[in-house]
Amino acid sequence: MKAPPDAAAATEPAERVSRQDWKRLAASLSPGATLYRPANPGYPPLALPFNHRYAGIHPAGIVACATVGDVRESIRWARAVGLPAVPRSGLGHNYAGYSATTGLLLNMSRMKNIVSTPRRAARSRAYGPIKVVHGAGTVTVGAGVTNGDLHPLLEDQGIFVPTGRCPTVGVAGLVLGGGIGFSDKMFGLTCDRLVATTVVLADGRVVEASEDSQPDLFWACRGGAGNNFGVHTSFTFQYERFQGDVGFYRLSWSLDSVLPVMATAQRIAQETEDDKRFHLRLGIGTRGRTRKQIRTNANVNAIGQYYGTLDELRAILAPLLAIGTPQERARNCAAVREVTPAEASTLLSATTPVEKFAAKSAVLNSRTLLTDQQVGAAAERLLDWPGSGNPDGAGFAMFALGGEINRVPRRATAFVHRNGLFILAAETSWADSDSPDVAAANLHWLQEFYAAIFDGAPPAHSYQNFPDPKLRDWREAYYGVNYPRLVRVKRRYDPTGFFRYPQAIGS
């Protein structure tokens, strides 16, 4: 399936860049960097974005950057020859293909330094069987570091930075758009833990953004989404340190229980909105090719963790644990257990859909939680999913918000969604081997699925880290009242709009 025409920013023809120009770029790079052109053997795997919907967008060249200087020289060169420069921090997970380009792709995966600095005057607090040292220190990571790269810090040293659940997602893209995960209620979004970032601007200048230096840029970087103001080469986060265990649960039911499960789980999320210790992801989904497979695999599920005792967690989950068949109730009760934070991180991890996928999101608050009628419509449409060869299937996930996330004023950072109870992501996926007809059927189904859930009138806000190229009023949906200030920051730091794509700030 060909990528849609709005998949990446409009670009100048790469053919006008001479061979001498490319040699000049290669000569400007550090010994640790590499320039790849389409004829190079190393080019294909680096050019391919994670979402294969956009595999038809081929960069004219790829710089695997090793230093800040490589990024600076690449940006200066791209401006001089009239090509856009687009950064890719991990595998290019951007849902809408905005980390793909026909210009110069800056692959940041070699910039993987991780340096932690402990803080002496830190405070500790016990939450049942786990002790948390709050503000234990800072950790500075390169722009190529992924969620999975930080896991050994937790496993080996108890050092924790709140990140997302997909191990291969780059921390850069995560933090710049906000950063939800299974500890965000307890410790805030990933962007809320950011204390400084190094940015190469469109004119090649390198600046450090923090509360005390370039504060407007720092504000915009916490939720203003990637590839808007410059190319980030490092991030410094405040980290926590863990000792002890956390509560973990993974519950599932057949779709027959979808109405009581969804109603009960949403009520629990409301009741625990201010309890930062309790984390919940709720969803429905299915997979398969045939109608029988799709119906057999359809389910409703909940997963999460708790910073406290198992008795407290079981009390919170009791209404959910009472739902379902005797077999489901027994299985779900047994699935509530105590694990180490590192084990929880592994158990809670999951990749975003593989091969080809599409998504639509919504931010739900107490007034827009799903009714039985909406849930019933979603379940009915789920069973009408056209199917595909992708094992990730289709459905929706709801990530609970609250706690520390909602204690931050909505204008304090660019991330505006500070009164939500859930971020809902509706998704569908199909395989590389599926026909164009299957792809088209999946995309049509997603539009119908989303429309059925919200009866054609979805909530006003969407999550900018789940970008939807079909979203009309994306400025209001992603950024709300913060969009005018983001435009002012854009004009100051990138006045010519060098960093641009269809949903870029100021476009």
Side-chain angles (χ1 to χ4, degrees):
M1 179 181 177
K2 289 186 67 176
D6 62 349
T11 62
E12 294 292 329
E15 289 78 8
R16 75 179 193 178
V17 181
S18 70
R19 183 177 298 180
Q20 196 61 36
D21 286 329
W22 290 108
K23 287 183 178 180
R24 181 165 54 85
L25 172 60
S28 70
L29 301 175
S30 73
T34 307
L35 171 63
Y36 297 93
R37 297 297 312 288
N40 299 137
Y43 173 94
L46 294 179
L48 183 68
F50 188 82
N51 189 345
H52 293 181
R53 284 182 70 191
Y54 307 105
I57 303 173
H58 303 294
I62 304 170
V63 175
C65 300
T67 68
V68 175
D70 294 329
V71 177
R72 181 184 64 240
E73 293 303 317
S74 296
I75 291 173
R76 288 176 173 171
W77 177 89
R79 285 184 65 99
V81 301
L83 289 181
V86 173
R88 181 179 293 173
S89 60
L91 298 178
H93 279 265
N94 189 280
Y95 282 25
Y98 298 148
S99 59
T101 181
T102 55
L104 185 66
L105 182 65
L106 306 184
N107 184 289
M108 313 295 281
S109 60
R110 295 184 184 179
M111 301 180 73
K112 282 187 173 290
N113 285 349
I114 300 175
V115 178
S116 60
T117 304
R119 177 186 172 198
R120 291 182 179 178
R123 59 186 180 87
S124 64
R125 180 178 173 182
Y127 301 88
I130 187 169
K131 184 175 81 170
V132 179
V133 180
H134 290 280
T138 60
V139 58
T140 299
V141 305
V145 168
T146 64
N147 290 334
D149 292 328
L150 294 178
H151 185 266
L153 287 180
L154 175 59
E155 187 170 15
D156 299 336
Q157 303 176 47
I159 290 176
F160 176 77
V161 175
T163 58
R165 75 185 300 215
C166 180
T168 58
V169 163
V171 171
L174 178 78
V175 62
L176 294 174
I180 59 174
F182 280 100
S183 291
D184 49 14
K185 285 181 65 182
M186 183 75 167
F187 303 114
L189 302 166
T190 310
C191 72
D192 296 333
R193 311 298 293 182
L194 186 69
V195 296
T197 179
T198 301
V199 190
V200 182
L201 302 178
D203 60 8
R205 287 184 297 140
V206 181
V207 299
E208 180 91 357
S210 66
E211 290 283 9
D212 301 321
S213 175
Q214 316 290 341
D216 279 354
L217 178 60
F218 183 63
W219 173 89
C221 292
R222 288 173 293 164
N227 197 20
N228 270 309
F229 310 103
V231 177
H232 296 253
T233 59
S234 70
F235 302 87
T236 299
F237 299 99
Q238 186 180 75
Y239 70 76
E240 316 298 289
R241 193 182 290 275
F242 291 160
Q243 292 178 0
D245 295 330
V246 297
F248 167 81
Y249 63 96
R250 186 195 302 272
L251 317 178
S252 64
W253 304 261
S254 76
L255 206 61
D256 293 338
S257 295
V258 67
L259 292 182
V261 168
M262 292 296 299
T264 301
Q266 288 182 103
R267 185 174 67 251
I268 289 173
Q270 284 186 287
E271 293 170 351
T272 59
E273 178 184 0
D274 294 327
D275 187 347
K276 64 183 184 179
R277 299 171 299 166
F278 177 71
H279 298 266
L280 165 70
R281 174 207 175 272
L282 175 68
I284 66 172
T286 192
R287 65 187 189 279
R289 286 189 180 274
T290 67
R291 298 260 59 83
K292 181 179 180 181
Q293 290 171 341
I294 290 166
R295 287 183 176 274
T296 300
N297 292 326
N299 70 94
V300 56
N301 53 81
I303 186 173
Q305 68 178 354
Y306 181 71
Y307 293 92
T309 68
L310 278 188
D311 286 343
E312 291 171 331
L313 176 57
R314 290 191 181 104
I316 293 171
L317 294 175
L320 282 174
L321 297 175
I323 297 173
T325 66
Q327 293 82 3
E328 287 172 338
R329 294 198 301 269
R331 183 183 66 237
N332 288 337
C333 286
V336 182
R337 54 199 175 98
E338 203 171 272
V339 299
T340 68
E343 289 171 329
S345 179
T346 299
L347 291 167
L348 293 165
S349 69
T351 61
T352 54
V354 297
E355 297 193 7
K356 296 177 180 177
F357 57 92
K360 300 181 74 66
S361 72
V363 180
L364 308 181
N365 57 35
S366 58
R367 298 183 305 277
T368 56
L369 291 178
L370 302 186
T371 65
D372 281 354
Q373 182 178 355
Q374 290 173 290
V375 172
E380 184 177 343
R381 289 286 181 175
L382 183 69
L383 296 178
D384 286 336
W385 181 57
S388 79
N390 193 320
D392 283 308
F396 71 65
M398 295 169 60
F399 303 87
L401 305 175
E404 292 298 328
I405 303 170
N406 292 3
R407 292 171 189 168
V408 177
R410 62 178 180 168
R411 295 180 186 267
T413 69
F415 188 89
V416 75
H417 315 301
R418 299 291 184 173
N419 67 340
L421 277 173
F422 286 99
I423 289 177
L424 180 147
E427 298 178 343
T428 190
S429 65
W430 59 102
D432 290 343
S433 58
D434 285 329
S435 70
D437 287 345
V438 170
N442 270 263
L443 290 170
H444 177 74
W445 175 86
L446 179 63
Q447 297 294 330
E448 295 294 316
F449 181 60
Y450 192 79
I453 296 171
F454 297 112
D455 195 22
H461 283 178
S462 299
Y463 182 34
Q464 52 266 48
N465 266 356
F466 298 155
D468 173 9
K470 299 295 184 182
L471 189 60
R472 290 182 179 179
D473 193 7
W474 57 266
R475 298 166 183 84
E476 168 65 23
Y478 296 156
Y479 307 113
V481 296
N482 287 335
Y483 189 71
R485 184 177 176 185
L486 283 166
V487 172
R488 293 194 295 272
V489 175
K490 175 73 169 179
R491 289 172 178 167
R492 177 181 177 187
Y493 288 94
D494 183 16
T496 65
F498 176 70
F499 298 108
R500 63 189 185 275
Y501 52 95
Q503 292 182 342
I505 299 297
S507 62

